């Protein structure tokens, strides 16, 4: 067929004869002879090499195989070796193998192929799996000793048990995942445990590791295991609390035996890269776009496949497709600033098209000789980023739900605010910073309680006519925080936790860090005026401190990686991980500049078009963002689908240090210069 009909002149190689597809039927002697008779040039991995060689030699001597037939294969093999110049370079420098084999670019191509192959043939709105769902994984294999060819540096064995790598990938994304293994040796006790595990979960992932074995059992998995899986999937969306995902590694035909699962995904391989790609699709980190190359009776036709859009952040470092060397200039800008004592340390995250291109930490918590290095879990007081991450998002959501009118008078929600001519101020005025309210005040000199601070704000006088000018005001966002509390009936910190931070998986974003994580919090200022001590783990802003650490204008602590989740949700049009938190229309209203004259949006800031901007000169004209007094910033370039999060404690040990101003502009320009050729 290959030679005569297709005109193929290359090498023909058997599949691995040790797999016993042929040698179960005939012995290796006869299998080797028949392979040569069929036109094969190379016999791969015969279980008994000496027996195979002896059998072929004997067949030639007896005239069953001609010497001419052997010579033709030998000539082809030698020609290929000469083409590869193996006749000139007979020895291999083992030290150079990593430079030639399994290079990063090889892995990148393989990963792209693996990602493109993932095929979702059914999805009842289950993937991507929400952060809030409790997951159980039931690993089902067609052999008790099923092992996959995955070898991690932490594992001395050249392979590992089926499902180990899958579980490790899932557990890096979700905590508390429960699991059990089932195989042909499993009994009623195992089935009972698996049933209990499923009933305690929200989502049950059935990971099927199976290869075609025999004609009698073409799916590999024994019928009793298939029956048990069906007992858990049949009606799992109605009669039970959990929902089911069938995840096939290897033989795709096995999914045709499973009745009524909620979601079905085929990977076609149990290897490392396919496992990673499957988990990425499972959690919305990459797009699923595969199509079935076969028909799987009775339900799934050739060419079928559901596109599942990417909806969550994906750490590009795992693929090594974007070298950190591209960001050398960015790193140098930050390192130079640290050497210049602009700040002791920093976190930086750069994300483009939903992929984390750079997630890097710099420096230390403070300037002491034994200061701890900054890590991904270091917490920063994000200061006025609270205005957009917390307060503005809450207002967006309430507006989306029809619970607040931006053009309604503030006094409608907070009647006591209307004193001293402030009864005409609207919610929109507070968001746009054109209410006429003062920028801020040293309440710590005159007030002792949160009630006194609020009374002072409610009774404050306007410094200009409402709507006439734009003056950035903490007063306005403190009042917005109280509006949110009045409408929702929840304290601001609880509302934000319930509606955004907890569902999004932002586990390191909150007000008032507890004392047991103090060592993770970057210190801010040594307060010589009011608190007379180093401020660490408590909000730096004095007014927010008087308000109990929870306010609409300041008080949140977070990490760059947590904030990246939030900003990606905004860029996604209000959705993340398959959950819609805010509709796209409010996101657009709050983040798009209606005209080029507008310098401030609803809560968000726009890039300054003429003159200095903390976003630098190269971010696009439609860019929006915000900065924080402690040395923090978020800048988003929607046209490039790019954002940069930069967190520092530049006020340590004193707010008199203003060196960060130029650094912010230089940093954002350096980021654009680093990616300019990849757009």
């Amino acid at each position: 067929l290959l030679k005569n009909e297709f005109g193929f002149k290359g090498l023909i190689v058997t599949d691995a004869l040790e797999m016993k597809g042929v040698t179960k039927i005939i012995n290796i002697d006869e299998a080797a002879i028949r392979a040569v008779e069929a036109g094969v040039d190379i016999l791969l991995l015969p279980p008994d090499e000496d027996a195979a060689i002896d059998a072929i030699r004997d067949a030639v001597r007896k005239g069953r195989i001609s010497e001419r037939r052997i010579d033709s294969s030998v000539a082809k093999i030698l020609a290929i070796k000469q083409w590869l110049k193996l006749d000139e370079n007979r020895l291999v420098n083992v030290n150079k193998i990593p430079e030639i084999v399994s290079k990063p670019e090889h892995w990148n191509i393989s990963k792209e192929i693996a990602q493109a192959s993932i095929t979702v043939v059914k999805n009842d709105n289950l993937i991507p799996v929400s952060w809030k769902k409790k997951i159980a994984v039931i690993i089902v294999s067609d052999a008790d000793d099923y092992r996959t060819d995955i070898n991690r540096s932490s594992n001395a064995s050249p392979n590992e048990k089926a499902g180990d790598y899958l579980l490790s990938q899932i557990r890096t994304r979700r905590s508390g995942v429960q699991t059990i293994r089932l195989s042909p040796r499993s009994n009623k006790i195992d089935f009972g445990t698996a049933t209990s595990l499923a009933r305690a979960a929200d989502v049950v992932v059935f990971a099927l590791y199976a290869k075609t074995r025999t004609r009698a059992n073409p799916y590999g998995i024994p019928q009793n295991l298939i029956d048990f899986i069906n007992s858990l999937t049949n009606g799992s969306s109605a009669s039970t609390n959990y929902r089911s995902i069938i995840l096939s590694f290897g033989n795709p035909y096995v999914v045709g035996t499973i009745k009524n699962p909620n979601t079905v995904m085929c990977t076609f391989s149990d290897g490392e890269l396919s496992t990673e790609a499957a988990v990425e699709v499972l959690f919305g980190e990459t797009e699923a776009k595969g199509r079935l190359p076969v028909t799987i009776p009775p339900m799934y036709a050739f060419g079928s496949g559901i596109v599942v859009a990417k909806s969550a952040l994906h750490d590009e470092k795992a693929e090594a497709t974007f070298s950190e060397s591209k960001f050398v200039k960015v790193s140098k800008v930050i390192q130079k600033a640290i050497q210049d004592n602009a700040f002791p340390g920093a976190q930086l995250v750069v994300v483009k098209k939903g992929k984390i291109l750079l997630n890097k930490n710099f420096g230390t918590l403070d300037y002491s000789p034994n200061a701890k290095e900054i890590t991904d879990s270091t917490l920063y007081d994000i200061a006025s980023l609270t205005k957009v991450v917390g307060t503005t998002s809450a207002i967006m959501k309430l507006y989306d739900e029809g619970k607040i009118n931006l053009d309604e008078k503030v006094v409608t929600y907070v009647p006591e605010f209307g004193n001293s001519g402030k009864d005409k101020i609207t919610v929109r005025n507070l968001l746009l910073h054109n209410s006429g309210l003062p920028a801020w005040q040293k309440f710590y000199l005159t007030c002792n309680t949160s009630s006194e601070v609020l009374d002072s704000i409610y009774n404050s006088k306007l410094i200009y006519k409402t709507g006439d000018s734009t003056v950035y005001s903490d007063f306005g966002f403190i009042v917005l925080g109280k509006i949110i509390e009045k409408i929702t009936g929840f304290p601001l910190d609880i509302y934000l936790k319930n509606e955004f931070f907890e569902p999004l998986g932002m586990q390191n974003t909150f007000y008032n860090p507890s004392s047991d994580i103090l060592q993770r919090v970057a210190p801010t200022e040594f307060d010589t005026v009011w608190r007379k001590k180093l401020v660490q783990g408590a909000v730096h802003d004095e007014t927010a401190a008087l308000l109990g650490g929870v306010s609409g204008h300041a008080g949140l602590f977070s990490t760059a990686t947590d904030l990246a989740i939030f900003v990606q949700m905004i860029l996604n049009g209000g959705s993340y991980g398959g959950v819609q938190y805010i509709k796209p229309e409010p996101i657009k209203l709050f983040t798009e500049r209606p005209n080029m004259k507008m310098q401030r949006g609803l809560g968000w800031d726009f890039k300054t078009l003429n003159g200095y901007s903390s976003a630098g000169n190269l971010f696009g004209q439609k860019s929006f963002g915000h900065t924080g007094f402690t040395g923090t910033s978020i800048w988003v370039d929607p046209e490039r689908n790019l954002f940069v999060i930069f967190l520092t404690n530049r006020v340590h040990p004193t707010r008199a240090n203003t060196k960060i101003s130029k650094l912010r502009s230089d940093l954002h320009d350096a980021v654009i210069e680093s990616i300019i050729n990849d757009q």
Side-chain angles (χ1 to χ4, degrees):
L1 179 68
L2 286 171
K3 291 179 177 179
N4 298 334
E5 293 190 30
F6 294 163
F8 181 71
K9 296 180 181 179
L11 288 176
I12 301 173
V13 187
T14 68
D15 192 7
L17 293 170
E18 66 178 4
M19 293 175 65
K20 300 180 182 178
V22 172
T23 56
K24 264 190 174 181
I25 304 169
I26 55 177
N27 62 36
I28 183 57
D29 300 28
E30 184 64 18
I33 293 169
R34 290 193 193 182
V36 174
E37 287 178 328
V40 164
D41 300 305
I42 296 177
L43 278 66
L44 181 66
L45 296 174
D48 187 337
E49 295 173 7
D50 290 337
I53 292 170
D54 290 343
I56 294 169
R57 183 187 293 115
D58 189 54
V60 172
R61 286 172 177 165
K62 292 180 179 178
R64 182 174 174 181
I65 299 174
S66 69
E67 287 191 27
R68 184 179 177 185
R69 167 69 191 85
I70 299 297
D71 290 345
S72 67
S73 288
V74 171
K76 285 167 67 176
I77 293 168
L78 291 176
I80 291 290
K81 288 185 175 183
Q82 186 178 40
W83 175 63
L84 292 170
K85 296 185 178 180
L86 296 181
D87 57 327
E88 299 175 14
N89 301 300
R90 292 172 173 267
L91 300 178
V92 173
N93 184 342
V94 294
N95 295 322
K96 289 191 174 182
I97 290 175
E99 299 176 14
I100 302 170
V101 179
S102 196
K103 295 166 68 175
E105 51 263 44
H106 300 162
W107 281 90
N108 296 341
I109 294 170
S110 299
K111 185 60 178 288
E112 289 174 10
I113 294 169
Q115 289 174 330
S117 74
I118 303 301
T119 304
V120 177
V121 292
K122 183 179 181 182
N123 183 26
D124 292 345
N125 296 318
L126 189 51
I127 54 172
V129 178
S130 168
W131 173 267
K132 295 183 285 187
K133 302 298 184 183
K134 186 177 179 181
I135 301 172
V137 179
I138 298 178
I139 298 166
V140 183
S141 60
D142 61 5
D144 298 326
D145 59 347
Y146 192 119
R147 301 185 74 82
T148 53
D149 292 325
I150 297 173
N151 176 235
R152 289 173 280 172
S153 57
S154 59
N155 185 1
S157 173
N159 51 40
E160 58 184 50
K161 290 172 64 176
D164 278 3
Y165 193 60
L166 172 70
L167 288 172
S168 74
Q169 289 292 300
I170 292 176
R171 283 170 172 161
T172 60
R173 295 159 169 86
R174 300 289 189 272
S175 59
V177 175
Q178 300 297 308
T179 187
I180 188 172
R181 297 175 186 275
L182 300 178
S183 70
R185 194 168 52 187
S186 297
N187 53 36
K188 289 184 178 180
I189 296 175
D190 299 322
F191 293 158
T193 302
T195 301
S196 299
L197 203 68
R199 289 175 177 169
D202 299 313
V203 176
V204 182
V205 177
F206 293 88
L208 309 184
Y209 290 84
K211 293 182 172 71
T212 301
R213 295 298 182 183
T214 65
R215 292 185 179 183
N217 183 8
Y219 308 115
I221 295 179
Q223 190 61 45
N224 68 322
L225 282 177
I226 292 174
D227 292 342
F228 174 72
I229 296 170
N230 281 323
S231 74
L232 294 180
T233 60
N234 198 358
S236 62
S237 61
S239 59
T240 56
N241 293 324
Y242 63 84
R243 305 182 76 200
S244 58
I245 297 175
I246 300 298
L247 186 49
S248 166
F249 292 96
N251 176 9
Y253 294 101
V254 69
V255 304
T257 67
I258 310 303
K259 299 175 182 177
N260 298 326
N262 298 110
T263 294
V264 177
M265 186 193 307
C266 297
T267 71
F268 309 103
S269 167
D270 59 17
E272 182 176 348
L273 298 180
S274 290
T275 301
E276 290 174 4
V279 175
E280 288 160 8
V281 169
L282 200 63
F283 296 110
E285 297 170 12
T286 56
E287 178 187 37
K289 55 186 178 183
R291 292 286 184 269
L292 273 185
V294 294
T295 292
I296 303 177
M299 292 183 59
Y300 311 117
F302 171 86
S304 62
I306 300 168
V307 174
V308 180
K310 171 183 171 61
S311 61
L313 282 174
H314 175 52
D315 191 346
E316 188 79 354
K317 288 192 298 183
E319 297 175 26
T321 56
F322 201 97
S323 172
E324 191 175 308
S325 63
K326 287 182 177 287
F327 291 101
V328 168
K329 184 175 181 180
V330 174
S331 295
K332 285 182 177 179
V333 168
I334 297 173
Q335 288 161 350
K336 185 176 183 298
I338 292 174
Q339 292 169 2
D340 194 32
N341 293 332
F343 41 79
Q347 290 176 340
L348 176 69
V349 170
V350 178
V351 176
K352 188 170 185 280
K353 295 181 180 179
K355 293 184 177 181
I356 300 174
L357 303 185
L358 185 65
N359 178 12
K360 193 170 182 180
N361 305 303
F362 301 84
T364 55
L365 288 174
D366 54 50
Y367 292 111
S368 63
N370 299 315
K372 293 181 179 179
E373 292 186 351
I374 302 300
T375 69
D376 286 353
S377 63
T378 299
L379 289 161
Y380 281 95
D381 178 339
I382 65 172
S384 284
L385 292 187
T386 301
K387 291 181 173 72
V388 290
V389 175
T391 308
T392 299
S393 301
I395 295 292
M396 271 197 276
K397 186 170 183 64
L398 294 174
Y399 172 77
D400 184 17
E401 295 170 344
K403 295 178 181 178
I404 193 169
N405 182 346
L406 300 186
D407 295 310
E408 187 63 74
K409 305 291 191 297
V410 175
V411 292
T412 302
Y413 306 104
V414 185
E416 54 269 44
F417 176 76
N419 300 326
S420 305
K422 300 194 296 298
D423 55 309
K424 298 288 194 297
I425 296 175
T426 66
V427 174
R428 189 184 298 271
N429 292 138
L430 298 183
L431 288 165
L432 291 172
H433 294 281
N434 66 1
S435 63
L437 288 169
W440 66 290
Q441 187 173 322
K442 295 180 180 180
F443 289 117
Y444 62 89
L445 298 177
T446 58
C447 301
N448 295 311
T449 66
S450 60
S451 296
E452 290 177 3
V453 172
L454 293 173
D455 287 343
S456 297
I457 293 173
Y458 295 157
N459 289 292
S460 63
K461 296 180 180 180
L462 298 179
I463 59 173
Y464 59 89
K465 185 179 177 181
T466 300
D468 274 6
S469 302
T470 299
V471 174
Y472 182 79
S473 172
D474 284 348
F475 280 30
F477 272 76
I478 293 170
V479 175
L480 284 169
K482 293 303 168 186
I483 292 173
I484 294 164
E485 292 181 342
K486 288 287 184 74
I487 293 174
T488 65
F490 289 99
L492 181 61
D493 57 337
I494 300 301
Y495 179 76
L496 291 173
K497 175 185 175 183
N498 292 343
E499 298 297 325
F500 291 104
F501 305 150
E502 197 168 84
L504 282 165
M506 297 171 64
Q507 296 177 307
N508 286 306
T509 304
F510 36 69
Y511 290 92
N512 292 324
S514 59
S515 58
D516 61 331
I517 60 171
L518 186 64
Q519 72 279 2
R520 289 203 285 127
V521 183
T524 52
E525 191 167 23
F526 191 91
D527 186 350
T528 60
V529 178
W530 181 44
R531 285 170 279 202
K532 308 290 185 182
K533 64 178 182 179
L534 176 66
V535 180
Q536 184 176 16
V539 62
H540 175 259
D541 183 272
E542 294 90 351
T543 302
L546 281 168
L547 291 168
V550 179
S551 178
H553 77 295
L556 279 176
F557 288 75
S558 191
T559 64
T561 49
D562 256 24
L563 294 178
I565 295 172
F566 165 79
V567 179
Q568 189 62 53
M569 180 269 290
I570 296 294
L571 262 181
N572 287 350
S575 70
Y576 190 88
V579 178
Q580 194 75 41
Y581 294 89
I582 307 169
K583 292 188 182 71
E585 292 77 16
I587 299 285
K588 183 177 180 180
L589 175 66
F590 278 67
T591 61
E592 287 193 5
R593 192 194 306 254
N595 60 70
M596 290 299 114
K597 293 182 180 180
M598 292 285 290
Q599 294 301 311
R600 288 199 176 274
L602 294 169
W604 289 92
D605 190 10
F606 295 129
K607 178 194 170 183
T608 303
L609 299 181
N610 297 303
Y612 170 83
S613 170
S614 62
N617 300 311
L618 303 180
F619 263 60
Q621 292 188 347
K622 295 183 178 181
S623 298
F624 61 92
H626 212 284
T627 60
F629 186 77
T630 52
T632 58
S633 64
I634 294 172
W635 275 106
V636 183
D637 188 335
E639 293 176 295
R640 289 188 172 97
N641 202 349
L642 166 81
F643 64 84
V644 177
I645 296 170
F646 184 52
L647 305 184
T648 78
N649 53 338
R650 71 94 191 167
V651 294
H652 179 74
T654 171
R655 71 185 69 192
N657 182 355
T658 60
K659 294 178 181 179
I660 196 173
S661 180
K662 183 177 186 304
L663 174 278
R664 279 173 167 157
S665 179
D666 292 345
L667 169 69
H668 291 96
D669 282 348
V671 168
I672 299 300
E673 289 169 0
S674 299
I675 66 167
I676 201 78
N677 294 324
D678 299 284
Q679 298 181 52

